[in-house]
Amino acid sequence: MTRITAADSGRKSAYEETVRKFRGAVLFTHDFSAISEVLTPDFVDHFAPPWDPPGREGVAHRFGQAAEALTTRRVEVLTSVCEGDILAQAILLHFEHTGAFMGLPPTGRAFAIGGSNTFRFRDGRIAEHWGVFDVAKIPDLLAPGPGREGGWASMWPA
């Protein structure tokens, strides 16, 4: 049986606070200066698409693009687990579609997608990130109606 120590609990709380600070800055206030404060200079984002610049520059690019299309309303942490220098969280992201996204004009619709973030920390800062998000279902959530009227489902014949 693994025993949780006070040091483990303190480390988890510190890591969670760093992630909260990062999310608050980039998702809600669009203060991208937090990127250089929270992420190490040699930060690696394993979630980054191949066309994004590497490292912190890519993070700023990606969050900047998302901010033009999606207004973050809430980040719901469903579970948070810490072991050593790794913090893993299952989350639910709540957005409003306020700008063009994935070829779709703004609808004003509220929606949520689930996902997970895993962070590796070094010296109190995030050194690596892995993410999995249900982005593929966004077109269906923003479609004009249920079923085959839009989104991904409209791409294949019935």
Side-chain angles (χ1 to χ4, degrees):
M1 175 193 275
T2 304
R3 194 175 287 257
I4 304 294
T5 66
D8 293 334
S9 180
R11 181 176 36 252
K12 180 183 181 205
S13 294
Y15 291 171
E16 289 171 335
E17 183 55 35
T18 299
V19 171
R20 265 192 298 279
K21 176 182 178 179
F22 175 80
R23 286 183 181 140
V26 299
L27 291 173
F28 293 101
T29 64
H30 307 133
D31 175 10
F32 299 127
S33 68
I35 291 170
S36 61
E37 295 172 30
V38 172
L39 307 180
T40 62
D42 60 344
F43 171 78
V44 176
D45 192 350
H46 301 282
F47 179 67
W51 55 84
D52 259 6
R56 299 189 304 194
E57 183 182 342
V59 173
H61 176 257
R62 196 165 38 263
F63 279 101
Q65 284 188 317
E68 293 175 6
L70 305 173
T71 299
T72 306
R73 296 298 181 205
R74 185 164 55 117
V75 177
E76 187 177 351
V77 178
L78 305 173
T79 190
S80 186
V81 178
C82 182
E83 185 172 319
D85 62 353
I86 302 290
L87 178 73
Q89 295 183 323
I91 63 174
L92 194 57
L93 297 165
H94 298 264
F95 295 112
E96 183 178 338
H97 181 212
T98 52
F101 186 73
M102 295 178 82
L104 300 167
T107 62
R109 289 195 181 116
F111 68 96
I113 61 168
S116 65
N117 282 310
T118 303
F119 306 95
R120 186 177 64 76
F121 284 79
R122 185 175 68 241
D123 300 325
R125 296 167 78 185
I126 299 170
E128 290 184 84
H129 166 256
W130 295 262
V132 178
F133 294 91
D134 202 358
V135 175
K137 81 175 185 184
I138 293 174
D140 290 316
L141 295 170
L142 300 177
R148 305 201 62 81
E149 293 184 37
W152 291 111
S154 65
M155 295 172 59
W156 291 277

